[in-house]
Amino acid sequence: MRRFPFASALVTGASSGIGAEMAKQLGEAGVPTVLVARRADRLEEIADRFDGFSVIEADLGTGVGVNAVVSAVGSSEHQIDLVVNNAGFGTSGQFADLDPDRLGDEIDLNVTALTKISNAALAAMRERGSGYLLNVSSVASFQPAPGLAVYAATKAYVTSLTEALHEEMRGTGVHVSALCPGLTKTEFQARSNTSEYEATFPDFAWTSVQSVASAGLDGVAKNRAIIVPGALYRGLVATSGVVPRSVTRRLSALASKIRT
C-alpha cells in the first residue's frame, strides 16, 4: 500500500478529473478524506468506496460554500493534515467577446475561494506546527495565454501566491506546493470550451490524470514549491524563464490561432 505522511485530507473539485483521482489515490492509501464539490451524487459515489470518507456539498463560487470549507479546514476538533485546492475552471475565446459575469465567476473560484481556503488552512497548520497545502495551478501560469487570458492570469496568481506562502511557511513544519500540470484530459476541456484541443494536440502532449495526481501528492509530501508533471512541460517551463516575454507572448498568440 502506498503511504503518505498525512493522516487526513480535504480535496476541493473532487467530483471529477484531477481532484477525483487524488481522492482515489488517497483512499487507496487509507487516508480519510473530505470531498468537496457541487455535485454531491458524484462525491457520494467516491466516498462509498473508501473508509473514513465524507462529503461537503458546496459551490465555492459562493460565500456560503467557501465558508463551509473554511470552517472545515480551520477546525481544531477534526484536524485536516492535507488541503488540496483543486476547484477551478477556464473560459476560452477572445476576451472582448466573453461574458463578463462568467469571467467574474472564474476569478471568484480560481482566486478568491482558493485564497480564503489557503488562509484558513495555513493559520490552523502553523499553529500546530504541521500540515500540507497543495494548490492546483497550471503551466499556463508561466506565460500569457491569448484565448485563455483570464484563466492563465488566475493561475499566474495561484503560482505566485503559493511560492510566497512556501517561503513564509519555511521552518514552521508546514509544506506548501503548487501543482502546475500541462494538457490533461479531464472535464476541464468541456467546461472551458476547449474540447478541440484533443484533436489539435498530439498524444505525447497529454499527461494522464493519474500521473498528475500522483506527482502532486508526492510533491507536496516532499515540500516542493513547484511541481510540473512530465518532462515535456518541465522543459517548457524552464525555457519560459530564459526566453524574452515578448517572444513567449507572440508564440502563445500564434498557438491560440492554430487551436482555433
Side-chain angles (χ1 to χ4, degrees), residues 149-162:
V150 172
Y151 176 75
T154 63
K155 292 304 183 179
Y157 172 89
V158 172
T159 297
S160 178
L161 174 72
T162 305

Side-chain angles (χ1 to χ4, degrees), residues 106-258:
E106 186 176 344
I107 294 168
D108 285 343
L109 180 58
N110 295 6
V111 173
T112 305
L114 177 142
T115 300
K116 291 182 177 180
I117 294 168
S118 296
N119 175 261
L122 291 185
M125 292 174 184
R126 184 181 61 182
E127 183 174 351
R128 64 177 180 258
S130 65
Y132 304 81
L133 174 65
L134 178 61
N135 289 332
V136 178
S137 186
S138 168
V139 292
S141 68
F142 296 102
Q143 65 277 314
L148 278 172
V150 172
Y151 176 75
T154 63
K155 292 304 183 179
Y157 172 89
V158 172
T159 297
S160 178
L161 174 72
T162 305
E163 286 191 277
L165 299 181
H166 177 89
E167 292 304 321
E168 288 187 8
M169 292 296 109
R170 184 180 296 275
T172 66
V174 179
H175 294 194
V176 184
S177 302
L179 174 61
C180 302
L183 290 169
T184 309
K185 291 182 181 179
T186 67
E187 290 184 7
F188 173 86
Q189 285 81 36
R191 191 173 184 193
S192 63
N193 299 319
T194 56
S195 297
E196 74 277 4
Y197 284 14
E198 294 187 27
T200 304
F201 291 96
D203 288 344
F204 70 80
W206 294 87
T207 51
S208 71
V209 70
Q210 294 83 2
S211 64
V212 169
S214 179
L217 294 174
D218 287 340
V220 71
K222 296 173 182 176
N223 201 25
R224 292 176 177 160
I226 301 293
I227 305 158
V228 181
L232 170 64
Y233 291 108
R234 286 194 292 273
L236 290 174
V237 169
T239 301
S240 71
V242 296
V243 174
R245 288 188 68 83
S246 60
V247 174
T248 60
R249 185 169 63 243
R250 186 57 184 155
L251 289 174
S252 293
L254 291 172
S256 72
K257 291 177 181 178
I258 292 172

